[in-house]
Amino acid sequence: MSIRSRFSNLLRYIASIRNPRLFLYRTFHYLNSDVPLERARRICGKNRADYAREGIGDLIIDTYDGSGQLVHPDMICFGAERWFVATPYPYGMEEYENPCIYRCTSAYEFVPHTCPISFQERHKQGTHLSDPVFLTTGSELYCIYRSTERREVSHLLYSRYDRVNDKWERPECFCSGTDDLLSPAFVYDGSIIMFHADWTSGKGRLTRSVLGRDFKLESSKEVSVSGLPQGYMVWHQAVRTCSADTSADELKGLFLLKKSRRSVECRLFRAVSHDNGLTWNVTDEVTWPDSKAGKMKYPYKSCFIPGEDGIILSFVDMSGRYRLIRLG
Protein backbone atom coordinates (compact mmCIF):
# COMPACT_ATOMS: atom_id res chain seq x y z
CA MET A 1 0.00 0.00 0.00
CA SER A 2 1.35 3.43 -0.96
CA ILE A 3 2.10 6.16 1.57
CA ARG A 4 -0.72 8.20 0.06
CA SER A 5 -3.21 5.35 0.58
CA ARG A 6 -2.04 4.81 4.15
CA PHE A 7 -2.45 8.51 4.91
CA SER A 8 -5.93 8.53 3.33
CA ASN A 9 -6.95 5.51 5.43
CA LEU A 10 -5.66 7.23 8.57
CA LEU A 11 -7.74 10.33 7.84
CA ARG A 12 -10.87 8.22 7.29
CA TYR A 13 -10.18 6.34 10.52
CA ILE A 14 -9.84 9.57 12.53
CA ALA A 15 -12.97 11.04 10.90
CA SER A 16 -15.02 7.97 11.85
CA ILE A 17 -14.67 8.83 15.57
CA ARG A 18 -17.87 10.84 15.04
CA ASN A 19 -19.63 7.54 14.21
CA PRO A 20 -18.72 5.26 17.19
CA ARG A 21 -20.10 2.04 15.66
CA LEU A 22 -18.18 2.57 12.42
CA PHE A 23 -15.08 3.58 14.41
CA LEU A 24 -15.18 0.33 16.36
CA TYR A 25 -15.44 -1.76 13.19
CA ARG A 26 -12.57 0.15 11.57
CA THR A 27 -10.44 -0.35 14.66
CA PHE A 28 -10.87 -4.12 14.47
CA HIS A 29 -10.40 -3.92 10.69
CA TYR A 30 -6.92 -2.39 10.99
CA LEU A 31 -6.07 -4.84 13.79
CA ASN A 32 -7.02 -7.73 11.46
CA SER A 33 -9.35 -9.12 14.10
CA ASP A 34 -13.06 -9.96 14.25
CA VAL A 35 -15.49 -7.82 16.18
CA PRO A 36 -16.67 -10.16 19.00
CA LEU A 37 -19.97 -11.76 18.10
CA GLU A 38 -21.91 -10.42 21.09
CA ARG A 39 -20.58 -6.90 20.48
CA ALA A 40 -21.56 -7.17 16.82
CA ARG A 41 -25.07 -8.27 17.82
CA ARG A 42 -25.45 -5.33 20.22
CA ILE A 43 -24.40 -2.91 17.49
CA CYS A 44 -26.83 -4.64 15.13
CA GLY A 45 -29.63 -4.19 17.65
CA LYS A 46 -28.94 -0.47 17.94
CA ASN A 47 -28.82 -0.11 14.17
CA ARG A 48 -32.12 -1.93 13.74
CA ALA A 49 -33.71 0.35 16.31
CA ASP A 50 -32.57 3.25 14.11
CA TYR A 51 -34.09 1.55 11.05
CA ALA A 52 -37.41 1.08 12.84
CA ARG A 53 -37.56 4.77 13.73
CA GLU A 54 -36.87 5.69 10.09
CA GLY A 55 -39.68 3.39 8.97
CA ILE A 56 -38.49 2.69 5.42
CA GLY A 57 -39.22 -1.05 5.62
CA ASP A 58 -35.80 -2.71 5.78
CA LEU A 59 -35.45 -6.41 5.06
CA ILE A 60 -34.24 -7.67 8.43
CA ILE A 61 -32.00 -10.73 7.92
CA ASP A 62 -29.59 -12.25 10.43
CA THR A 63 -25.99 -12.95 9.36
CA TYR A 64 -23.33 -15.31 10.69
CA ASP A 65 -21.13 -12.41 11.86
CA GLY A 66 -23.91 -10.79 13.88
CA SER A 67 -23.90 -7.49 11.97
CA GLY A 68 -27.10 -7.94 9.94
CA GLN A 69 -25.57 -5.73 7.23
CA LEU A 70 -25.87 -7.41 3.83
CA VAL A 71 -24.80 -6.66 0.27
CA HIS A 72 -24.69 -8.42 -3.13
CA PRO A 73 -28.17 -10.00 -2.89
CA ASP A 74 -29.51 -12.52 -5.38
CA MET A 75 -32.78 -14.45 -5.44
CA ILE A 76 -33.97 -17.32 -7.62
CA CYS A 77 -36.85 -19.77 -7.94
CA PHE A 78 -35.86 -23.42 -7.86
CA GLY A 79 -38.63 -25.96 -7.82
CA ALA A 80 -41.41 -24.65 -5.61
CA GLU A 81 -39.07 -22.54 -3.47
CA ARG A 82 -37.32 -19.21 -3.55
CA TRP A 83 -33.67 -19.08 -2.54
CA PHE A 84 -31.79 -15.98 -1.43
CA VAL A 85 -28.06 -15.32 -1.08
CA ALA A 86 -26.12 -12.28 0.09
CA THR A 87 -22.92 -11.57 1.95
CA PRO A 88 -22.25 -9.61 5.15
CA TYR A 89 -20.43 -6.33 4.58
CA PRO A 90 -20.61 -4.43 7.87
CA TYR A 91 -19.58 -0.81 7.30
CA GLY A 92 -17.80 -1.94 4.10
CA MET A 93 -15.40 -4.33 5.90
CA GLU A 94 -14.45 -6.88 3.23
CA GLU A 95 -13.06 -9.55 5.52
CA TYR A 96 -16.56 -10.45 6.77
CA GLU A 97 -17.78 -11.19 3.24
CA ASN A 98 -18.95 -14.77 2.90
CA PRO A 99 -22.02 -16.13 1.06
CA CYS A 100 -25.00 -16.64 3.36
CA ILE A 101 -27.78 -18.74 1.79
CA TYR A 102 -31.42 -18.67 2.88
CA ARG A 103 -34.66 -20.35 1.98
CA CYS A 104 -37.49 -17.84 1.61
CA THR A 105 -40.58 -19.02 3.46
CA SER A 106 -42.32 -15.74 2.59
CA ALA A 107 -41.51 -12.36 1.12
CA TYR A 108 -40.03 -11.25 4.44
CA GLU A 109 -38.84 -14.47 6.12
CA PHE A 110 -35.38 -15.80 5.34
CA VAL A 111 -34.33 -19.10 6.94
CA PRO A 112 -30.55 -19.71 6.98
CA HIS A 113 -29.37 -22.76 5.06
CA THR A 114 -26.08 -24.63 5.00
CA CYS A 115 -23.59 -22.48 3.06
CA PRO A 116 -20.83 -23.68 0.71
CA ILE A 117 -18.30 -22.29 3.20
CA SER A 118 -19.57 -21.71 6.71
CA PHE A 119 -17.04 -19.08 7.78
CA GLN A 120 -14.10 -17.19 6.44
CA GLU A 121 -10.88 -19.20 6.56
CA ARG A 122 -9.04 -16.25 8.06
CA HIS A 123 -9.61 -12.62 8.92
CA LYS A 124 -7.32 -10.54 6.71
CA GLN A 125 -7.68 -7.29 4.84
CA GLY A 126 -8.05 -7.90 1.11
CA THR A 127 -9.11 -11.54 1.54
CA HIS A 128 -12.81 -12.20 1.15
CA LEU A 129 -15.59 -14.22 -0.48
CA SER A 130 -17.93 -11.96 -2.43
CA ASP A 131 -20.35 -11.45 -5.35
CA PRO A 132 -22.57 -14.50 -4.69
CA VAL A 133 -25.14 -15.36 -7.36
CA PHE A 134 -27.43 -18.25 -8.23
CA LEU A 135 -27.73 -20.24 -11.44
CA THR A 136 -30.30 -22.90 -12.29
CA THR A 137 -30.16 -25.19 -15.30
CA GLY A 138 -33.69 -26.38 -14.52
CA SER A 139 -32.64 -29.60 -12.84
CA GLU A 140 -29.67 -28.21 -10.88
CA LEU A 141 -29.09 -25.22 -8.60
CA TYR A 142 -25.66 -23.63 -8.19
CA CYS A 143 -24.25 -20.88 -5.99
CA ILE A 144 -21.30 -19.08 -7.59
CA TYR A 145 -19.02 -16.53 -5.92
CA ARG A 146 -15.56 -14.95 -5.93
CA SER A 147 -12.67 -15.77 -3.61
CA THR A 148 -10.20 -12.88 -3.50
CA GLU A 149 -6.69 -12.99 -2.05
CA ARG A 150 -4.92 -9.81 -0.95
CA ARG A 151 -6.94 -7.71 -3.47
CA GLU A 152 -4.77 -9.22 -6.21
CA VAL A 153 -6.02 -12.60 -7.42
CA SER A 154 -9.63 -13.78 -7.63
CA HIS A 155 -11.06 -17.23 -8.23
CA LEU A 156 -14.61 -17.98 -9.35
CA LEU A 157 -16.09 -20.98 -7.56
CA TYR A 158 -19.35 -22.87 -7.87
CA SER A 159 -21.14 -25.15 -5.42
CA ARG A 160 -23.98 -27.45 -6.48
CA TYR A 161 -27.01 -27.94 -4.27
CA ASP A 162 -27.50 -31.60 -3.36
CA ARG A 163 -31.28 -31.98 -3.13
CA VAL A 164 -31.12 -35.55 -1.84
CA ASN A 165 -29.05 -34.63 1.21
CA ASP A 166 -30.26 -31.01 1.41
CA LYS A 167 -26.76 -29.52 1.46
CA TRP A 168 -24.25 -27.65 -0.70
CA GLU A 169 -21.37 -29.61 -2.17
CA ARG A 170 -17.71 -28.66 -1.84
CA PRO A 171 -16.89 -25.61 -3.99
CA GLU A 172 -15.02 -26.10 -7.26
CA CYS A 173 -12.87 -23.44 -8.95
CA PHE A 174 -13.56 -22.84 -12.65
CA CYS A 175 -11.87 -19.50 -13.38
CA SER A 176 -8.97 -17.47 -11.98
CA GLY A 177 -7.85 -13.96 -12.79
CA THR A 178 -7.14 -10.54 -11.36
CA ASP A 179 -9.26 -8.78 -8.76
CA ASP A 180 -10.54 -6.59 -11.60
CA LEU A 181 -12.89 -9.32 -12.88
CA LEU A 182 -16.06 -8.49 -10.99
CA SER A 183 -19.63 -9.49 -10.29
CA PRO A 184 -20.42 -12.62 -12.34
CA ALA A 185 -24.06 -12.99 -13.38
CA PHE A 186 -25.54 -16.06 -15.08
CA VAL A 187 -28.39 -17.27 -17.24
CA TYR A 188 -28.89 -20.68 -18.82
CA ASP A 189 -29.92 -21.38 -22.41
CA GLY A 190 -28.56 -24.85 -23.16
CA SER A 191 -25.14 -23.42 -22.33
CA ILE A 192 -24.20 -21.40 -19.29
CA ILE A 193 -23.92 -17.70 -20.16
CA MET A 194 -21.86 -15.56 -17.80
CA PHE A 195 -21.58 -11.77 -17.69
CA HIS A 196 -18.96 -9.96 -15.66
CA ALA A 197 -17.41 -6.51 -15.43
CA ASP A 198 -13.77 -6.34 -16.53
CA TRP A 199 -11.77 -3.46 -15.03
CA THR A 200 -8.27 -4.72 -15.88
CA SER A 201 -7.68 -1.70 -18.14
CA GLY A 202 -9.20 0.77 -15.69
CA LYS A 203 -12.44 0.83 -17.69
CA GLY A 204 -15.60 -1.04 -16.77
CA ARG A 205 -16.20 -3.23 -19.82
CA LEU A 206 -19.02 -5.78 -19.79
CA THR A 207 -17.91 -9.23 -20.93
CA ARG A 208 -20.11 -12.12 -22.04
CA SER A 209 -18.76 -15.68 -21.81
CA VAL A 210 -20.26 -19.01 -22.85
CA LEU A 211 -19.49 -21.97 -20.57
CA GLY A 212 -20.21 -25.66 -20.98
CA ARG A 213 -22.23 -27.65 -18.46
CA ASP A 214 -18.90 -28.44 -16.78
CA PHE A 215 -18.24 -24.67 -16.39
CA LYS A 216 -15.34 -24.79 -18.88
CA LEU A 217 -14.93 -21.64 -20.98
CA GLU A 218 -15.98 -21.99 -24.62
CA SER A 219 -15.93 -18.37 -25.81
CA SER A 220 -15.71 -14.83 -24.45
CA LYS A 221 -16.17 -11.33 -25.86
CA GLU A 222 -16.83 -7.75 -24.82
CA VAL A 223 -20.40 -6.63 -25.44
CA SER A 224 -21.69 -3.13 -26.14
CA VAL A 225 -23.80 -1.17 -23.66
CA SER A 226 -25.64 1.86 -25.03
CA GLY A 227 -27.35 4.62 -23.07
CA LEU A 228 -24.76 4.87 -20.30
CA PRO A 229 -24.63 8.26 -18.54
CA GLN A 230 -21.58 10.31 -19.51
CA GLY A 231 -18.42 9.00 -17.82
CA TYR A 232 -20.09 6.00 -16.13
CA MET A 233 -19.12 2.35 -16.63
CA VAL A 234 -20.49 -1.01 -15.51
CA TRP A 235 -19.31 -2.00 -12.03
CA HIS A 236 -21.71 -4.76 -10.92
CA GLN A 237 -24.70 -6.38 -12.55
CA ALA A 238 -27.62 -8.71 -12.04
CA VAL A 239 -29.09 -10.49 -15.08
CA ARG A 240 -32.29 -12.47 -15.50
CA THR A 241 -34.35 -13.72 -18.42
CA CYS A 242 -37.48 -11.67 -19.04
CA SER A 243 -39.91 -14.52 -18.35
CA ALA A 244 -39.64 -17.37 -15.88
CA ASP A 245 -35.91 -17.95 -16.42
CA THR A 246 -36.65 -20.26 -19.37
CA SER A 247 -35.04 -18.46 -22.33
CA ALA A 248 -32.04 -16.18 -22.58
CA ASP A 249 -33.15 -14.44 -25.84
CA GLU A 250 -34.53 -11.44 -23.95
CA LEU A 251 -32.63 -10.45 -20.85
CA LYS A 252 -33.11 -7.76 -18.24
CA GLY A 253 -30.28 -6.32 -16.23
CA LEU A 254 -29.62 -4.22 -13.16
CA PHE A 255 -26.36 -2.40 -13.81
CA LEU A 256 -24.52 -0.66 -10.99
CA LEU A 257 -22.44 2.11 -12.56
CA LYS A 258 -19.52 4.20 -11.39
CA LYS A 259 -16.92 6.45 -13.00
CA SER A 260 -13.77 4.70 -11.76
CA ARG A 261 -12.70 1.81 -9.58
CA ARG A 262 -11.73 4.27 -6.84
CA SER A 263 -14.98 6.22 -7.09
CA VAL A 264 -17.28 5.95 -4.08
CA GLU A 265 -20.67 7.00 -5.43
CA CYS A 266 -22.69 4.58 -7.55
CA ARG A 267 -25.86 4.77 -9.67
CA LEU A 268 -28.21 1.87 -10.39
CA PHE A 269 -29.91 1.46 -13.79
CA ARG A 270 -32.17 -1.04 -15.49
CA ALA A 271 -31.09 -2.43 -18.84
CA VAL A 272 -32.47 -4.77 -21.48
CA SER A 273 -31.06 -7.02 -24.21
CA HIS A 274 -33.00 -8.57 -27.09
CA ASP A 275 -30.17 -10.62 -28.62
CA ASN A 276 -29.06 -13.02 -25.91
CA GLY A 277 -26.90 -10.44 -24.16
CA LEU A 278 -24.71 -9.49 -27.14
CA THR A 279 -25.84 -5.86 -26.91
CA TRP A 280 -27.49 -3.97 -24.05
CA ASN A 281 -29.48 -0.79 -23.76
CA VAL A 282 -29.64 1.10 -20.47
CA THR A 283 -33.24 2.21 -20.03
CA ASP A 284 -33.95 4.00 -16.75
CA GLU A 285 -32.40 4.76 -13.40
CA VAL A 286 -33.68 3.08 -10.24
CA THR A 287 -34.96 6.03 -8.25
CA TRP A 288 -35.28 6.38 -4.50
CA PRO A 289 -38.85 7.07 -3.37
CA ASP A 290 -39.46 10.59 -2.07
CA SER A 291 -40.81 9.13 1.17
CA LYS A 292 -37.36 7.67 1.86
CA ALA A 293 -35.37 10.75 0.85
CA GLY A 294 -32.30 11.47 2.93
CA LYS A 295 -31.78 7.88 4.08
CA MET A 296 -29.67 6.56 1.18
CA LYS A 297 -26.14 7.73 0.42
CA TYR A 298 -25.92 5.63 -2.75
CA PRO A 299 -27.21 2.29 -4.08
CA TYR A 300 -25.14 -0.86 -4.37
CA LYS A 301 -25.47 -4.15 -6.25
CA SER A 302 -29.12 -5.20 -6.21
CA CYS A 303 -31.20 -8.05 -7.60
CA PHE A 304 -34.52 -8.90 -9.22
CA ILE A 305 -37.34 -10.60 -7.34
CA PRO A 306 -38.23 -13.60 -9.54
CA GLY A 307 -41.82 -13.67 -10.74
CA GLU A 308 -42.36 -10.02 -9.81
CA ASP A 309 -41.54 -6.58 -11.19
CA GLY A 310 -39.80 -5.54 -8.00
CA ILE A 311 -36.18 -5.60 -6.90
CA ILE A 312 -34.29 -6.03 -3.66
CA LEU A 313 -32.30 -2.83 -3.39
CA SER A 314 -28.94 -2.85 -1.63
CA PHE A 315 -27.81 0.55 -0.45
CA VAL A 316 -25.43 2.42 1.82
CA ASP A 317 -27.02 4.80 4.29
CA MET A 318 -25.69 8.09 5.63
CA SER A 319 -24.00 6.30 8.54
CA GLY A 320 -22.10 3.86 6.32
CA ARG A 321 -24.38 0.89 7.00
CA TYR A 322 -25.26 -1.62 4.26
CA ARG A 323 -28.99 -2.30 4.10
CA LEU A 324 -31.66 -4.00 1.97
CA ILE A 325 -35.22 -3.01 1.09
CA ARG A 326 -37.81 -4.16 -1.43
CA LEU A 327 -38.84 -1.76 -4.20
CA GLY A 328 -41.87 -2.31 -6.44
Side-chain angles (χ1 to χ4, degrees):
M1 184 182 293
S2 67
I3 294 176
R4 182 178 179 179
S5 296
R6 291 180 184 274
F7 182 68
S8 178
N9 287 343
L10 177 61
L11 291 180
R12 285 198 299 269
Y13 177 62
I14 294 173
S16 66
I17 292 176
R18 293 172 296 180
N19 184 344
R21 301 169 202 171
L22 170 59
F23 181 74
L24 184 143
Y25 264 91
R26 281 191 172 161
T27 299
F28 279 86
H29 173 72
Y30 292 125
L31 292 174
N32 271 328
S33 180
D34 284 313
V35 172
L37 186 59
E38 287 306 313
R39 176 66 63 85
R41 287 172 174 164
R42 287 198 295 271
I43 291 174
C44 178
K46 292 178 180 178
N47 285 335
R48 288 180 176 177
D50 293 344
Y51 305 162
R53 283 192 293 270
E54 291 174 358
I56 68 170
D58 288 72
L59 283 177
I60 301 299
I61 305 174
D62 291 325
T63 59
Y64 79 92
D65 66 312
S67 71
Q69 294 187 44
L70 284 165
V71 74
H72 291 289
D74 194 34
M75 182 180 283
I76 200 168
C77 289
F78 182 63
E81 295 182 304
R82 284 184 180 178
W83 291 77
F84 178 80
V85 64
T87 178
Y89 201 38
Y91 295 102
M93 306 298 158
E94 63 199 354
E95 55 269 24
Y96 295 94
E97 289 190 86
N98 189 49
C100 294
I101 297 177
Y102 306 82
R103 273 197 175 104
C104 307
T105 58
S106 75
Y108 296 96
E109 294 183 56
F110 299 82
V111 178
H113 197 264
T114 303
C115 297
I117 298 178
S118 298
F119 295 96
Q120 285 286 62
E121 295 180 7
R122 57 195 180 280
H123 188 293
K124 187 177 182 181
Q125 293 175 40
T127 298
H128 53 274
L129 305 169
S130 64
D131 298 19
V133 64
F134 286 125
L135 164 70
T136 179
T137 62
S139 60
E140 303 287 355
L141 176 64
Y142 298 91
C143 179
I144 302 153
Y145 55 95
R146 297 171 67 238
S147 173
T148 300
E149 302 170 7
R150 303 180 305 280
R151 300 193 192 98
E152 296 174 357
V153 179
S154 289
H155 309 283
L156 293 183
L157 302 99
Y158 69 88
S159 179
R160 188 183 74 91
Y161 173 57
D162 180 350
R163 277 199 281 189
V164 174
N165 297 299
D166 192 27
K167 67 177 185 179
W168 293 88
E169 295 179 346
R170 185 176 67 86
E172 300 285 345
C173 179
F174 68 95
C175 179
S176 296
T178 72
D179 189 35
D180 293 308
L181 304 178
L182 301 168
S183 190
F186 295 83
V187 292
Y188 179 73
D189 188 29
S191 295
I192 298 170
I193 300 174
M194 177 177 76
F195 300 90
H196 73 271
D198 185 346
W199 283 73
T200 52
S201 62
K203 301 292 185 181
R205 301 172 297 162
L206 183 63
T207 298
R208 177 187 184 273
S209 301
V210 178
L211 311 176
R213 288 291 297 269
D214 55 2
F215 282 85
K216 289 185 179 179
L217 179 66
E218 296 181 353
S219 64
S220 185
K221 64 174 295 184
E222 181 181 353
V223 300
S224 66
V225 183
S226 62
L228 291 172
Q230 182 66 34
Y232 280 86
M233 295 164 283
V234 179
W235 173 247
H236 287 296
Q237 61 278 320
V239 176
R240 281 287 180 263
T241 53
C242 289
S243 60
D245 289 354
T246 57
S247 171
D249 290 335
E250 293 188 76
L251 303 177
K252 57 181 180 178
L254 276 177
F255 290 174
L256 186 72
L257 310 179
K258 64 191 321 188
K259 292 187 175 181
S260 71
R261 179 96 195 235
R262 292 180 176 273
S263 175
V264 176
E265 294 186 10
C266 304
R267 297 173 67 183
L268 185 66
F269 283 79
R270 292 182 177 88
V272 64
S273 171
H274 298 291
D275 57 6
N276 212 12
L278 294 172
T279 61
W280 289 87
N281 180 44
V282 170
T283 56
D284 59 296
E285 187 166 8
V286 176
T287 57
W288 189 248
D290 292 340
S291 61
K292 300 173 175 58
K295 304 299 188 299
M296 181 175 71
K297 189 173 183 180
Y298 54 84
Y300 215 69
K301 181 183 181 293
S302 304
C303 73
F304 296 104
I305 301 174
E308 302 179 17
D309 292 331
I311 68 171
I312 294 178
L313 176 70
S314 170
F315 71 98
V316 183
D317 72 8
M318 306 306 289
S319 296
R321 299 172 294 202
Y322 284 74
R323 299 160 63 175
L324 302 174
I325 64 168
R326 291 171 57 105
L327 288 182

